Amino acid sequence: GQQLNQSPQSMFIQEGEDVSMNCTSSSIFNTWLWYKQDPGEGPVLLIALYKAGELTSNGRLTAQFGITRKDSFLNISASIPSDVGIYFCAGQTSGTYKYIFGTGTRLKVLA
Amino acid sequence: EAGVTQFPSHSVIEKGQTVTLRCDPISGHDNLYWYRRVMGKEIKFLLHFVKESKQDESGMPNNRFLAERTGGTYSTLKVQPAELEDSGVYFCASSQPLAGGPLNEQFFGPGTRLTVL
C-alpha cells in the first residue's frame, strides 16, 4: 500500500533555531499537506500543496512539493515555544478523498 | 462555528467488551472520515462517509468494527468485541468539497483515546 516515510522522528531544538523535516514516498500524490497536532488536540492544517515544484509560505512556515510529486519538506524559521507538537505530512491522490499520513515528527523547543 | 467534536475523549475497557465512539462533524459537512493512530505510528484512514453512505471503507481493520451515520449527521464507530490491538487514538474529520473536485480540507476532531486492557 501507499506509505509516507517521514523524518526525523523527533527533534529537540533551541528557541530561535530553524527546523526542517521531510517526507518521501514511492507513490505519486496530487496533493500534499502538512498538519500540526498540539497535545490533546486533533491535527490542524498548516499548508496545502497542489502543484509539483510549488513552494508555499504561511508565516514562518515554508513547504515545497517535490518536482516528482513523491516528496515534500517543511521548514520552520525562528522557532518559538508554541511550535511544540507533532507535525504530520499527508498525501492525497486524485479521485480519492482519503489522506495517507506519515508517522509524524515530534518537535520540542527548548527556551 | 463549532468544530468537529468527539465523545468520549478517553475510554478504558477490557478485552472482549464493546465500545461506541461518537463524532459530530462541522454543520453542513457532507463528508465524514474516521482515522486511527496507534502509538508512534501513522494516522491511518478507516473509512469515509458521504452523507449517510459509505463511500470508502477500505481501511476498516475487520468486521469487529462497525461505522454508521444514520441521517447523514453524526457518526458512530462501534468496536465489538474489543481486542488489545484496537488501542489507539481514533480521529474523526469532516470536509465540504470545493467545487470541481476533492481538493478539500479535512477538519479534525480532538480524538478519542481508546485503551483496551
Side-chain angles (χ1 to χ4, degrees), chain A residues 31 35 37 40 42-43 45 50 86 88 92 96-99 101-103, chain B residues 33 35 37 42-43 45 48 56 58 91 97 102-106 108-110:
Chain A
T31 302
Y35 274 82
Q37 184 187 6
L45 182 66
Y50 302 109
I86 305 176
F88 292 97
Q92 186 182 46
T96 70
Y97 281 74
K98 68 182 179 186
Y99 291 169
F101 279 90
T103 50
Chain B
Y33 314 81
Y35 291 85
R37 186 178 192 227
E42 74 274 25
I43 300 173
F45 169 82
H48 168 213
D56 180 356
S58 61
F91 291 106
L103 295 180
N104 53 7
E105 176 181 351
Q106 295 182 20
F108 282 77

PDB file of all heavy atoms in Angstrom, chain A residues 31 35 37 40 42-43 45 50 86 88 92 96-99 101-103, chain B residues 33 35 37 42-43 45 48 56 58 91 97 102-106 108-110:
ATOM      1  N   THR A  31      -1.945  15.942  -4.183  1.00  0.00           N
ATOM      2  CA  THR A  31      -1.997  16.987  -3.170  1.00  0.00           C
ATOM      3  C   THR A  31      -1.124  16.554  -2.008  1.00  0.00           C
ATOM      4  O   THR A  31      -1.125  15.375  -1.640  1.00  0.00           O
ATOM      5  CB  THR A  31      -3.442  17.194  -2.666  1.00  0.00           C
ATOM      6  OG1 THR A  31      -4.275  17.525  -3.779  1.00  0.00           O
ATOM      7  CG2 THR A  31      -3.515  18.305  -1.629  1.00  0.00           C
ATOM      8  N   TYR A  35       0.207  18.961   8.435  1.00  0.00           N
ATOM      9  CA  TYR A  35      -0.664  19.186   9.579  1.00  0.00           C
ATOM     10  C   TYR A  35       0.183  19.260  10.845  1.00  0.00           C
ATOM     11  O   TYR A  35       1.260  18.664  10.927  1.00  0.00           O
ATOM     12  CB  TYR A  35      -1.656  18.026   9.755  1.00  0.00           C
ATOM     13  CG  TYR A  35      -2.927  18.119   8.950  1.00  0.00           C
ATOM     14  CD1 TYR A  35      -2.968  17.730   7.612  1.00  0.00           C
ATOM     15  CD2 TYR A  35      -4.112  18.564   9.544  1.00  0.00           C
ATOM     16  CE1 TYR A  35      -4.148  17.802   6.891  1.00  0.00           C
ATOM     17  CE2 TYR A  35      -5.298  18.632   8.822  1.00  0.00           C
ATOM     18  CZ  TYR A  35      -5.302  18.246   7.501  1.00  0.00           C
ATOM     19  OH  TYR A  35      -6.480  18.314   6.781  1.00  0.00           O
ATOM     20  N   GLN A  37      -0.255  18.723  15.136  1.00  0.00           N
ATOM     21  CA  GLN A  37      -1.109  18.298  16.233  1.00  0.00           C
ATOM     22  C   GLN A  37      -0.535  18.798  17.544  1.00  0.00           C
ATOM     23  O   GLN A  37       0.590  18.444  17.922  1.00  0.00           O
ATOM     24  CB  GLN A  37      -1.224  16.769  16.271  1.00  0.00           C
ATOM     25  CG  GLN A  37      -2.174  16.279  17.345  1.00  0.00           C
ATOM     26  CD  GLN A  37      -2.170  14.780  17.496  1.00  0.00           C
ATOM     27  OE1 GLN A  37      -1.386  14.069  16.891  1.00  0.00           O
ATOM     28  NE2 GLN A  37      -3.071  14.278  18.320  1.00  0.00           N
ATOM     29  N   GLY A  40      -3.365  16.897  23.024  1.00  0.00           N
ATOM     30  CA  GLY A  40      -4.785  16.851  23.369  1.00  0.00           C
ATOM     31  C   GLY A  40      -5.717  17.384  22.297  1.00  0.00           C
ATOM     32  O   GLY A  40      -6.934  17.453  22.516  1.00  0.00           O
ATOM     33  N   GLY A  42      -6.742  17.688  17.864  1.00  0.00           N
ATOM     34  CA  GLY A  42      -6.626  16.991  16.597  1.00  0.00           C
ATOM     35  C   GLY A  42      -5.686  17.739  15.665  1.00  0.00           C
ATOM     36  O   GLY A  42      -5.344  18.904  15.914  1.00  0.00           O
ATOM     37  N   PRO A  43      -5.252  17.090  14.604  1.00  0.00           N
ATOM     38  CA  PRO A  43      -4.361  17.756  13.642  1.00  0.00           C
ATOM     39  C   PRO A  43      -5.040  18.964  12.994  1.00  0.00           C
ATOM     40  O   PRO A  43      -6.233  18.933  12.701  1.00  0.00           O
ATOM     41  CB  PRO A  43      -4.087  16.666  12.606  1.00  0.00           C
ATOM     42  CG  PRO A  43      -4.372  15.381  13.305  1.00  0.00           C
ATOM     43  CD  PRO A  43      -5.478  15.681  14.257  1.00  0.00           C
ATOM     44  N   LEU A  45      -4.542  21.819   9.797  1.00  0.00           N
ATOM     45  CA  LEU A  45      -3.840  22.046   8.538  1.00  0.00           C
ATOM     46  C   LEU A  45      -2.968  23.291   8.610  1.00  0.00           C
ATOM     47  O   LEU A  45      -3.410  24.366   9.024  1.00  0.00           O
ATOM     48  CB  LEU A  45      -4.845  22.197   7.389  1.00  0.00           C
ATOM     49  CG  LEU A  45      -4.239  22.386   5.993  1.00  0.00           C
ATOM     50  CD1 LEU A  45      -3.488  21.126   5.563  1.00  0.00           C
ATOM     51  CD2 LEU A  45      -5.329  22.727   4.979  1.00  0.00           C
ATOM     52  N   TYR A  50      -0.440  21.842  -4.147  1.00  0.00           N
ATOM     53  CA  TYR A  50      -1.221  21.213  -5.212  1.00  0.00           C
ATOM     54  C   TYR A  50      -0.433  20.983  -6.494  1.00  0.00           C
ATOM     55  O   TYR A  50      -0.842  20.179  -7.334  1.00  0.00           O
ATOM     56  CB  TYR A  50      -2.447  22.065  -5.533  1.00  0.00           C
ATOM     57  CG  TYR A  50      -3.347  22.298  -4.340  1.00  0.00           C
ATOM     58  CD1 TYR A  50      -3.428  23.550  -3.740  1.00  0.00           C
ATOM     59  CD2 TYR A  50      -4.108  21.257  -3.810  1.00  0.00           C
ATOM     60  CE1 TYR A  50      -4.261  23.752  -2.643  1.00  0.00           C
ATOM     61  CE2 TYR A  50      -4.936  21.464  -2.718  1.00  0.00           C
ATOM     62  CZ  TYR A  50      -5.009  22.716  -2.141  1.00  0.00           C
ATOM     63  OH  TYR A  50      -5.831  22.916  -1.061  1.00  0.00           O
ATOM     64  N   ILE A  86       3.368  17.670  17.196  1.00  0.00           N
ATOM     65  CA  ILE A  86       3.700  16.634  16.219  1.00  0.00           C
ATOM     66  C   ILE A  86       3.289  17.137  14.833  1.00  0.00           C
ATOM     67  O   ILE A  86       2.146  17.556  14.637  1.00  0.00           O
ATOM     68  CB  ILE A  86       2.985  15.310  16.524  1.00  0.00           C
ATOM     69  CG1 ILE A  86       3.293  14.844  17.944  1.00  0.00           C
ATOM     70  CG2 ILE A  86       3.424  14.239  15.520  1.00  0.00           C
ATOM     71  CD1 ILE A  86       2.541  13.587  18.348  1.00  0.00           C
ATOM     72  N   PHE A  88       2.697  16.277  10.899  1.00  0.00           N
ATOM     73  CA  PHE A  88       2.403  15.166  10.002  1.00  0.00           C
ATOM     74  C   PHE A  88       2.363  15.654   8.563  1.00  0.00           C
ATOM     75  O   PHE A  88       1.751  16.670   8.258  1.00  0.00           O
ATOM     76  CB  PHE A  88       1.028  14.549  10.306  1.00  0.00           C
ATOM     77  CG  PHE A  88       0.935  13.825  11.614  1.00  0.00           C
ATOM     78  CD1 PHE A  88       0.412  14.447  12.738  1.00  0.00           C
ATOM     79  CD2 PHE A  88       1.353  12.509  11.713  1.00  0.00           C
ATOM     80  CE1 PHE A  88       0.315  13.772  13.946  1.00  0.00           C
ATOM     81  CE2 PHE A  88       1.256  11.820  12.907  1.00  0.00           C
ATOM     82  CZ  PHE A  88       0.741  12.454  14.037  1.00  0.00           C
ATOM     83  N   GLN A  92      -2.591  12.965  -0.849  1.00  0.00           N
ATOM     84  CA  GLN A  92      -3.913  12.611  -1.378  1.00  0.00           C
ATOM     85  C   GLN A  92      -3.784  12.414  -2.882  1.00  0.00           C
ATOM     86  O   GLN A  92      -3.160  13.228  -3.574  1.00  0.00           O
ATOM     87  CB  GLN A  92      -4.914  13.719  -1.076  1.00  0.00           C
ATOM     88  CG  GLN A  92      -6.352  13.407  -1.449  1.00  0.00           C
ATOM     89  CD  GLN A  92      -7.281  14.580  -1.168  1.00  0.00           C
ATOM     90  OE1 GLN A  92      -6.969  15.712  -1.497  1.00  0.00           O
ATOM     91  NE2 GLN A  92      -8.419  14.307  -0.554  1.00  0.00           N
ATOM     92  N   THR A  96      -9.614  10.424  -5.017  1.00  0.00           N
ATOM     93  CA  THR A  96      -9.891   9.872  -3.686  1.00  0.00           C
ATOM     94  C   THR A  96      -9.967  11.006  -2.680  1.00  0.00           C
ATOM     95  O   THR A  96      -9.401  12.078  -2.897  1.00  0.00           O
ATOM     96  CB  THR A  96      -8.816   8.873  -3.227  1.00  0.00           C
ATOM     97  OG1 THR A  96      -7.604   9.590  -2.953  1.00  0.00           O
ATOM     98  CG2 THR A  96      -8.564   7.805  -4.274  1.00  0.00           C
ATOM     99  N   TYR A  97     -10.644  10.749  -1.582  1.00  0.00           N
ATOM    100  CA  TYR A  97     -10.755  11.740  -0.535  1.00  0.00           C
ATOM    101  C   TYR A  97      -9.839  11.435   0.647  1.00  0.00           C
ATOM    102  O   TYR A  97      -9.502  12.313   1.410  1.00  0.00           O
ATOM    103  CB  TYR A  97     -12.199  11.812  -0.020  1.00  0.00           C
ATOM    104  CG  TYR A  97     -13.119  12.597  -0.900  1.00  0.00           C
ATOM    105  CD1 TYR A  97     -13.570  12.092  -2.107  1.00  0.00           C
ATOM    106  CD2 TYR A  97     -13.561  13.862  -0.515  1.00  0.00           C
ATOM    107  CE1 TYR A  97     -14.426  12.820  -2.910  1.00  0.00           C
ATOM    108  CE2 TYR A  97     -14.424  14.600  -1.312  1.00  0.00           C
ATOM    109  CZ  TYR A  97     -14.850  14.075  -2.504  1.00  0.00           C
ATOM    110  OH  TYR A  97     -15.699  14.796  -3.289  1.00  0.00           O
ATOM    111  N   LYS A  98      -9.432  10.183   0.800  1.00  0.00           N
ATOM    112  CA  LYS A  98      -8.672   9.826   1.996  1.00  0.00           C
ATOM    113  C   LYS A  98      -7.264  10.387   1.932  1.00  0.00           C
ATOM    114  O   LYS A  98      -6.672  10.560   0.877  1.00  0.00           O
ATOM    115  CB  LYS A  98      -8.629   8.313   2.161  1.00  0.00           C
ATOM    116  CG  LYS A  98      -7.830   7.580   1.106  1.00  0.00           C
ATOM    117  CD  LYS A  98      -7.909   6.081   1.351  1.00  0.00           C
ATOM    118  CE  LYS A  98      -7.139   5.312   0.295  1.00  0.00           C
ATOM    119  NZ  LYS A  98      -7.320   3.845   0.444  1.00  0.00           N
ATOM    120  N   TYR A  99      -6.733  10.676   3.127  1.00  0.00           N
ATOM    121  CA  TYR A  99      -5.365  11.110   3.267  1.00  0.00           C
ATOM    122  C   TYR A  99      -4.512   9.923   3.688  1.00  0.00           C
ATOM    123  O   TYR A  99      -4.934   9.094   4.495  1.00  0.00           O
ATOM    124  CB  TYR A  99      -5.230  12.186   4.354  1.00  0.00           C
ATOM    125  CG  TYR A  99      -5.844  13.533   4.035  1.00  0.00           C
ATOM    126  CD1 TYR A  99      -5.972  14.488   5.042  1.00  0.00           C
ATOM    127  CD2 TYR A  99      -6.291  13.873   2.764  1.00  0.00           C
ATOM    128  CE1 TYR A  99      -6.526  15.736   4.789  1.00  0.00           C
ATOM    129  CE2 TYR A  99      -6.851  15.119   2.498  1.00  0.00           C
ATOM    130  CZ  TYR A  99      -6.960  16.037   3.521  1.00  0.00           C
ATOM    131  OH  TYR A  99      -7.509  17.275   3.279  1.00  0.00           O
ATOM    132  N   PHE A 101      -1.128   9.397   5.706  1.00  0.00           N
ATOM    133  CA  PHE A 101      -0.288  10.176   6.604  1.00  0.00           C
ATOM    134  C   PHE A 101       1.081   9.543   6.809  1.00  0.00           C
ATOM    135  O   PHE A 101       1.237   8.321   6.738  1.00  0.00           O
ATOM    136  CB  PHE A 101      -0.949  10.288   7.987  1.00  0.00           C
ATOM    137  CG  PHE A 101      -2.014  11.341   8.077  1.00  0.00           C
ATOM    138  CD1 PHE A 101      -3.342  11.028   7.793  1.00  0.00           C
ATOM    139  CD2 PHE A 101      -1.705  12.631   8.459  1.00  0.00           C
ATOM    140  CE1 PHE A 101      -4.327  11.997   7.886  1.00  0.00           C
ATOM    141  CE2 PHE A 101      -2.693  13.609   8.555  1.00  0.00           C
ATOM    142  CZ  PHE A 101      -4.001  13.288   8.265  1.00  0.00           C
ATOM    143  N   GLY A 102       2.057  10.400   7.110  1.00  0.00           N
ATOM    144  CA  GLY A 102       3.344   9.947   7.587  1.00  0.00           C
ATOM    145  C   GLY A 102       3.264   9.629   9.072  1.00  0.00           C
ATOM    146  O   GLY A 102       2.225   9.830   9.712  1.00  0.00           O
ATOM    147  N   THR A 103       4.375   9.159   9.635  1.00  0.00           N
ATOM    148  CA  THR A 103       4.400   8.744  11.044  1.00  0.00           C
ATOM    149  C   THR A 103       4.564   9.913  12.009  1.00  0.00           C
ATOM    150  O   THR A 103       4.434   9.743  13.202  1.00  0.00           O
ATOM    151  CB  THR A 103       5.526   7.738  11.292  1.00  0.00           C
ATOM    152  OG1 THR A 103       6.740   8.267  10.752  1.00  0.00           O
ATOM    153  CG2 THR A 103       5.231   6.399  10.629  1.00  0.00           C
TER     154      THR A 103
ATOM    155  N   TYR B  33     -15.024  11.382   7.977  1.00  0.00           N
ATOM    156  CA  TYR B  33     -13.966  10.371   7.907  1.00  0.00           C
ATOM    157  C   TYR B  33     -13.630   9.884   9.314  1.00  0.00           C
ATOM    158  O   TYR B  33     -13.682  10.642  10.273  1.00  0.00           O
ATOM    159  CB  TYR B  33     -12.682  10.970   7.308  1.00  0.00           C
ATOM    160  CG  TYR B  33     -12.879  11.811   6.076  1.00  0.00           C
ATOM    161  CD1 TYR B  33     -13.282  13.135   6.183  1.00  0.00           C
ATOM    162  CD2 TYR B  33     -12.654  11.286   4.804  1.00  0.00           C
ATOM    163  CE1 TYR B  33     -13.473  13.924   5.055  1.00  0.00           C
ATOM    164  CE2 TYR B  33     -12.829  12.070   3.674  1.00  0.00           C
ATOM    165  CZ  TYR B  33     -13.236  13.387   3.815  1.00  0.00           C
ATOM    166  OH  TYR B  33     -13.418  14.162   2.684  1.00  0.00           O
ATOM    167  N   TYR B  35     -10.312   8.031  11.220  1.00  0.00           N
ATOM    168  CA  TYR B  35      -8.902   7.650  11.163  1.00  0.00           C
ATOM    169  C   TYR B  35      -8.505   7.084  12.520  1.00  0.00           C
ATOM    170  O   TYR B  35      -9.160   7.332  13.535  1.00  0.00           O
ATOM    171  CB  TYR B  35      -8.009   8.864  10.876  1.00  0.00           C
ATOM    172  CG  TYR B  35      -8.108   9.473   9.500  1.00  0.00           C
ATOM    173  CD1 TYR B  35      -9.093  10.412   9.207  1.00  0.00           C
ATOM    174  CD2 TYR B  35      -7.197   9.123   8.494  1.00  0.00           C
ATOM    175  CE1 TYR B  35      -9.164  10.988   7.946  1.00  0.00           C
ATOM    176  CE2 TYR B  35      -7.260   9.704   7.231  1.00  0.00           C
ATOM    177  CZ  TYR B  35      -8.244  10.636   6.970  1.00  0.00           C
ATOM    178  OH  TYR B  35      -8.310  11.215   5.714  1.00  0.00           O
ATOM    179  N   ARG B  37      -4.855   6.362  15.005  1.00  0.00           N
ATOM    180  CA  ARG B  37      -3.405   6.373  15.189  1.00  0.00           C
ATOM    181  C   ARG B  37      -3.049   5.454  16.344  1.00  0.00           C
ATOM    182  O   ARG B  37      -3.404   5.695  17.496  1.00  0.00           O
ATOM    183  CB  ARG B  37      -2.870   7.777  15.465  1.00  0.00           C
ATOM    184  CG  ARG B  37      -1.341   7.779  15.507  1.00  0.00           C
ATOM    185  CD  ARG B  37      -0.737   9.138  15.717  1.00  0.00           C
ATOM    186  NE  ARG B  37       0.694   9.099  15.457  1.00  0.00           N
ATOM    187  CZ  ARG B  37       1.614   9.632  16.250  1.00  0.00           C
ATOM    188  NH1 ARG B  37       1.237  10.273  17.344  1.00  0.00           N
ATOM    189  NH2 ARG B  37       2.892   9.549  15.952  1.00  0.00           N
ATOM    190  N   GLU B  42       1.666   5.946  12.000  1.00  0.00           N
ATOM    191  CA  GLU B  42       0.994   6.958  11.200  1.00  0.00           C
ATOM    192  C   GLU B  42      -0.486   7.000  11.531  1.00  0.00           C
ATOM    193  O   GLU B  42      -1.042   6.079  12.127  1.00  0.00           O
ATOM    194  CB  GLU B  42       1.185   6.685   9.696  1.00  0.00           C
ATOM    195  CG  GLU B  42       0.363   5.530   9.133  1.00  0.00           C
ATOM    196  CD  GLU B  42       1.041   4.186   9.288  1.00  0.00           C
ATOM    197  OE1 GLU B  42       1.872   4.040  10.201  1.00  0.00           O
ATOM    198  OE2 GLU B  42       0.697   3.292   8.494  1.00  0.00           O
ATOM    199  N   ILE B  43      -1.127   8.098  11.153  1.00  0.00           N
ATOM    200  CA  ILE B  43      -2.583   8.200  11.256  1.00  0.00           C
ATOM    201  C   ILE B  43      -3.139   7.450  10.055  1.00  0.00           C
ATOM    202  O   ILE B  43      -2.851   7.803   8.902  1.00  0.00           O
ATOM    203  CB  ILE B  43      -3.038   9.666  11.243  1.00  0.00           C
ATOM    204  CG1 ILE B  43      -2.418  10.431  12.422  1.00  0.00           C
ATOM    205  CG2 ILE B  43      -4.552   9.759  11.278  1.00  0.00           C
ATOM    206  CD1 ILE B  43      -2.674  11.942  12.386  1.00  0.00           C
ATOM    207  N   PHE B  45      -6.226   5.864   7.710  1.00  0.00           N
ATOM    208  CA  PHE B  45      -7.599   6.027   7.254  1.00  0.00           C
ATOM    209  C   PHE B  45      -8.391   4.762   7.549  1.00  0.00           C
ATOM    210  O   PHE B  45      -7.918   3.638   7.327  1.00  0.00           O
ATOM    211  CB  PHE B  45      -7.583   6.303   5.755  1.00  0.00           C
ATOM    212  CG  PHE B  45      -8.923   6.229   5.092  1.00  0.00           C
ATOM    213  CD1 PHE B  45      -9.797   7.301   5.127  1.00  0.00           C
ATOM    214  CD2 PHE B  45      -9.301   5.086   4.412  1.00  0.00           C
ATOM    215  CE1 PHE B  45     -11.039   7.237   4.502  1.00  0.00           C
ATOM    216  CE2 PHE B  45     -10.535   5.004   3.781  1.00  0.00           C
ATOM    217  CZ  PHE B  45     -11.400   6.079   3.826  1.00  0.00           C
ATOM    218  N   HIS B  48     -14.799   6.524   4.969  1.00  0.00           N
ATOM    219  CA  HIS B  48     -15.307   7.810   4.518  1.00  0.00           C
ATOM    220  C   HIS B  48     -16.793   7.701   4.211  1.00  0.00           C
ATOM    221  O   HIS B  48     -17.205   6.808   3.463  1.00  0.00           O
ATOM    222  CB  HIS B  48     -14.514   8.233   3.263  1.00  0.00           C
ATOM    223  CG  HIS B  48     -15.087   9.384   2.497  1.00  0.00           C
ATOM    224  ND1 HIS B  48     -14.969   9.484   1.137  1.00  0.00           N
ATOM    225  CD2 HIS B  48     -15.764  10.484   2.905  1.00  0.00           C
ATOM    226  CE1 HIS B  48     -15.552  10.609   0.726  1.00  0.00           C
ATOM    227  NE2 HIS B  48     -16.031  11.224   1.782  1.00  0.00           N
ATOM    228  N   ASP B  56     -16.063   4.843   1.064  1.00  0.00           N
ATOM    229  CA  ASP B  56     -14.815   4.086   1.035  1.00  0.00           C
ATOM    230  C   ASP B  56     -14.598   3.519   2.423  1.00  0.00           C
ATOM    231  O   ASP B  56     -14.437   4.273   3.373  1.00  0.00           O
ATOM    232  CB  ASP B  56     -13.657   5.027   0.639  1.00  0.00           C
ATOM    233  CG  ASP B  56     -12.303   4.329   0.572  1.00  0.00           C
ATOM    234  OD1 ASP B  56     -12.200   3.132   0.901  1.00  0.00           O
ATOM    235  OD2 ASP B  56     -11.327   5.008   0.179  1.00  0.00           O
ATOM    236  N   SER B  58     -12.256   0.986   2.852  1.00  0.00           N
ATOM    237  CA  SER B  58     -11.100   0.134   2.598  1.00  0.00           C
ATOM    238  C   SER B  58     -10.140   0.028   3.779  1.00  0.00           C
ATOM    239  O   SER B  58      -9.340  -0.900   3.841  1.00  0.00           O
ATOM    240  CB  SER B  58     -10.333   0.642   1.379  1.00  0.00           C
ATOM    241  OG  SER B  58      -9.862   1.964   1.599  1.00  0.00           O
ATOM    242  N   PHE B  91      -9.558   9.358  15.412  1.00  0.00           N
ATOM    243  CA  PHE B  91      -9.881  10.718  14.979  1.00  0.00           C
ATOM    244  C   PHE B  91     -11.047  10.680  14.001  1.00  0.00           C
ATOM    245  O   PHE B  91     -11.143   9.794  13.154  1.00  0.00           O
ATOM    246  CB  PHE B  91      -8.693  11.375  14.270  1.00  0.00           C
ATOM    247  CG  PHE B  91      -7.532  11.698  15.164  1.00  0.00           C
ATOM    248  CD1 PHE B  91      -6.376  10.939  15.121  1.00  0.00           C
ATOM    249  CD2 PHE B  91      -7.593  12.784  16.020  1.00  0.00           C
ATOM    250  CE1 PHE B  91      -5.293  11.248  15.931  1.00  0.00           C
ATOM    251  CE2 PHE B  91      -6.514  13.102  16.839  1.00  0.00           C
ATOM    252  CZ  PHE B  91      -5.368  12.329  16.795  1.00  0.00           C
ATOM    253  N   PRO B  97     -16.531  19.430   0.128  1.00  0.00           N
ATOM    254  CA  PRO B  97     -15.706  19.526  -1.067  1.00  0.00           C
ATOM    255  C   PRO B  97     -15.812  20.889  -1.728  1.00  0.00           C
ATOM    256  O   PRO B  97     -16.883  21.479  -1.758  1.00  0.00           O
ATOM    257  CB  PRO B  97     -16.271  18.454  -2.000  1.00  0.00           C
ATOM    258  CG  PRO B  97     -17.160  17.625  -1.192  1.00  0.00           C
ATOM    259  CD  PRO B  97     -17.553  18.400   0.023  1.00  0.00           C
ATOM    260  N   PRO B 102     -12.018  16.896  -5.390  1.00  0.00           N
ATOM    261  CA  PRO B 102     -11.809  16.546  -3.970  1.00  0.00           C
ATOM    262  C   PRO B 102     -10.690  17.326  -3.310  1.00  0.00           C
ATOM    263  O   PRO B 102     -10.124  16.873  -2.338  1.00  0.00           O
ATOM    264  CB  PRO B 102     -11.470  15.054  -4.062  1.00  0.00           C
ATOM    265  CG  PRO B 102     -10.753  14.931  -5.358  1.00  0.00           C
ATOM    266  CD  PRO B 102     -11.390  15.935  -6.285  1.00  0.00           C
ATOM    267  N   LEU B 103     -10.324  18.488  -3.839  1.00  0.00           N
ATOM    268  CA  LEU B 103      -9.296  19.279  -3.169  1.00  0.00           C
ATOM    269  C   LEU B 103      -9.953  19.988  -2.004  1.00  0.00           C
ATOM    270  O   LEU B 103     -10.387  21.128  -2.100  1.00  0.00           O
ATOM    271  CB  LEU B 103      -8.698  20.285  -4.150  1.00  0.00           C
ATOM    272  CG  LEU B 103      -7.940  19.681  -5.322  1.00  0.00           C
ATOM    273  CD1 LEU B 103      -7.394  20.760  -6.221  1.00  0.00           C
ATOM    274  CD2 LEU B 103      -6.820  18.781  -4.825  1.00  0.00           C
ATOM    275  N   ASN B 104     -10.088  19.271  -0.896  1.00  0.00           N
ATOM    276  CA  ASN B 104     -10.814  19.788   0.242  1.00  0.00           C
ATOM    277  C   ASN B 104      -9.909  19.787   1.452  1.00  0.00           C
ATOM    278  O   ASN B 104      -8.848  19.183   1.450  1.00  0.00           O
ATOM    279  CB  ASN B 104     -12.030  18.920   0.524  1.00  0.00           C
ATOM    280  CG  ASN B 104     -11.661  17.453   0.667  1.00  0.00           C
ATOM    281  OD1 ASN B 104     -10.488  17.088   0.677  1.00  0.00           O
ATOM    282  ND2 ASN B 104     -12.650  16.615   0.795  1.00  0.00           N
ATOM    283  N   GLU B 105     -10.298  20.534   2.465  1.00  0.00           N
ATOM    284  CA  GLU B 105      -9.559  20.492   3.725  1.00  0.00           C
ATOM    285  C   GLU B 105     -10.366  19.670   4.706  1.00  0.00           C
ATOM    286  O   GLU B 105     -11.560  19.919   4.889  1.00  0.00           O
ATOM    287  CB  GLU B 105      -9.351  21.891   4.297  1.00  0.00           C
ATOM    288  CG  GLU B 105      -8.657  21.865   5.664  1.00  0.00           C
ATOM    289  CD  GLU B 105      -8.459  23.247   6.279  1.00  0.00           C
ATOM    290  OE1 GLU B 105      -8.703  24.241   5.572  1.00  0.00           O
ATOM    291  OE2 GLU B 105      -8.080  23.317   7.451  1.00  0.00           O
ATOM    292  N   GLN B 106      -9.727  18.719   5.297  1.00  0.00           N
ATOM    293  CA  GLN B 106     -10.370  17.920   6.322  1.00  0.00           C
ATOM    294  C   GLN B 106     -10.066  18.538   7.679  1.00  0.00           C
ATOM    295  O   GLN B 106      -8.908  18.760   8.021  1.00  0.00           O
ATOM    296  CB  GLN B 106      -9.879  16.468   6.246  1.00  0.00           C
ATOM    297  CG  GLN B 106     -10.297  15.783   4.956  1.00  0.00           C
ATOM    298  CD  GLN B 106      -9.873  14.338   4.866  1.00  0.00           C
ATOM    299  OE1 GLN B 106      -9.576  13.700   5.867  1.00  0.00           O
ATOM    300  NE2 GLN B 106      -9.851  13.815   3.656  1.00  0.00           N
ATOM    301  N   PHE B 108     -10.184  18.135  11.653  1.00  0.00           N
ATOM    302  CA  PHE B 108     -10.134  17.008  12.570  1.00  0.00           C
ATOM    303  C   PHE B 108     -10.693  17.361  13.940  1.00  0.00           C
ATOM    304  O   PHE B 108     -10.540  18.479  14.433  1.00  0.00           O
ATOM    305  CB  PHE B 108      -8.684  16.522  12.734  1.00  0.00           C
ATOM    306  CG  PHE B 108      -8.204  15.701  11.583  1.00  0.00           C
ATOM    307  CD1 PHE B 108      -7.823  16.307  10.393  1.00  0.00           C
ATOM    308  CD2 PHE B 108      -8.138  14.313  11.676  1.00  0.00           C
ATOM    309  CE1 PHE B 108      -7.391  15.547   9.314  1.00  0.00           C
ATOM    310  CE2 PHE B 108      -7.701  13.546  10.605  1.00  0.00           C
ATOM    311  CZ  PHE B 108      -7.331  14.158   9.421  1.00  0.00           C
ATOM    312  N   GLY B 109     -11.310  16.367  14.556  1.00  0.00           N
ATOM    313  CA  GLY B 109     -11.707  16.476  15.947  1.00  0.00           C
ATOM    314  C   GLY B 109     -10.530  16.170  16.862  1.00  0.00           C
ATOM    315  O   GLY B 109      -9.460  15.785  16.387  1.00  0.00           O
ATOM    316  N   PRO B 110     -10.728  16.322  18.183  1.00  0.00           N
ATOM    317  CA  PRO B 110      -9.626  16.117  19.136  1.00  0.00           C
ATOM    318  C   PRO B 110      -9.273  14.648  19.357  1.00  0.00           C
ATOM    319  O   PRO B 110      -8.245  14.349  19.961  1.00  0.00           O
ATOM    320  CB  PRO B 110     -10.154  16.740  20.424  1.00  0.00           C
ATOM    321  CG  PRO B 110     -11.639  16.641  20.289  1.00  0.00           C
ATOM    322  CD  PRO B 110     -11.944  16.778  18.833  1.00  0.00           C
TER     323      PRO B 110
END
